[in-house]
Amino acid sequence: MVDSLYKDNFRSQFEPGKSLPKVSTHLDSVRAYQFEMRFYGLPADLVGAQQDLTLAAKQVGPISITLDDIVSPRINDKLFYPGQPTPDELSVTFDNLYLKDTSPTLWKWFKSIYDPMSGDMTNLAAPGGPGNRTFKSSRAVIMELDNTRDPHAAVELYGVYPKSVRFSEKNYSTNEFSTIEVIFRYDFMDYFKYASQSQ
């Protein structure tokens, strides 16, 4: 017979007026709004913008990676095996801050991938160019903060670059900040409890 967690443990060692039921504190969770995003190793022309982008990031979309299926048909059955991983695109919305030049910084990074004025593609990594220059950020970190604003856990994305940039609507009748939505691509990711890793 399987024990019921809620039947057997919910009120274990509970004394009215002296203690609380177990789940009344054990179910506390990381809040969706308690996060901070940082970029490391940005292209050489954007050095110094990491903190500015951290301050501007206001929303991070779902972060996911999927293993593609390898299907092996056998008579009337289909058997599934894990195949190559596919990291999904990541959407981040930034406030267009006056003092931090958020939109020029993000647009400059996008132009290091594709420059619509010249037609150049990834010119920072051109053959014969200066060494140690890349159009990718070495990593981006999305930190989950606890209730004291200390890092609790973190998602690390490696080889990050902007795939698309979308400026928000301009409208006289609205009463909200202007934003920039950027879709990022990355090579692979990791997730860990923050105490087990160095920053």
Side-chain angles (χ1 to χ4, degrees):
M1 181 176 175
V2 178
D3 292 334
S4 166
L5 176 65
Y6 291 104
K7 177 179 173 60
D8 300 324
N9 295 319
F10 177 34
R11 292 179 177 81
S12 64
Q13 301 176 348
F14 166 60
E15 297 181 45
K18 295 183 179 180
S19 63
L20 293 171
K22 184 172 291 188
V23 300
S24 69
T25 55
H26 287 199
L27 293 185
D28 199 9
S29 180
V30 174
R31 274 68 162 171
Y33 55 82
Q34 293 178 168
F35 76 93
E36 183 175 312
M37 185 173 191
R38 294 185 183 179
F39 294 90
Y40 296 89
L42 289 175
D45 293 342
L46 299 175
V47 168
Q50 291 94 328
Q51 183 177 3
D52 296 348
L53 293 182
T54 295
L55 293 174
K58 67 177 292 183
Q59 179 179 345
V60 177
I63 309 158
S64 63
I65 186 169
T66 304
L67 292 177
D68 299 336
D69 292 329
I70 298 175
V71 183
S72 180
R74 289 295 184 272
I75 308 178
N76 293 328
D77 299 313
K78 289 184 178 180
L79 308 177
F80 297 90
Y81 296 89
Q84 291 181 323
T86 301
D88 295 328
E89 298 175 350
L90 175 65
S91 173
V92 180
T93 302
F94 298 88
D95 278 329
N96 191 3
L97 302 179
Y98 278 129
L99 300 180
K100 300 301 180 181
D101 288 334
T102 308
S103 56
T105 297
L106 291 168
W107 181 246
K108 199 172 183 182
W109 188 3
F110 180 80
K111 285 180 70 175
S112 75
I113 311 296
Y114 167 70
D115 187 343
M117 305 309 294
S118 65
D120 289 344
M121 197 77 175
T122 63
N123 58 0
L124 290 179
N132 299 322
R133 301 187 73 190
T134 177
F135 54 89
K136 290 186 177 184
S137 167
S138 58
R139 68 183 172 127
V141 180
I142 299 103
M143 291 184 291
E144 297 175 346
L145 307 179
D146 64 16
N147 51 355
T148 62
R149 291 170 293 168
D150 289 325
H152 166 73
V155 179
E156 285 198 346
L157 313 174
Y158 300 92
V160 182
Y161 71 90
K163 176 180 176 179
S164 72
V165 175
R166 183 169 68 176
F167 297 91
S168 64
E169 176 188 18
K170 310 302 180 188
N171 191 329
Y172 286 120
S173 66
T174 60
N175 185 30
E176 57 191 36
F177 288 141
S178 174
T179 61
I180 309 102
E181 181 185 359
V182 181
I183 304 295
F184 291 100
R185 271 294 193 185
Y186 55 94
D187 296 329
F188 53 95
M189 61 175 282
D190 192 15
Y191 179 78
F192 53 83
K193 190 171 176 63
Y194 211 81
S196 64
Q197 297 276 340
S198 59
Q199 186 171 346

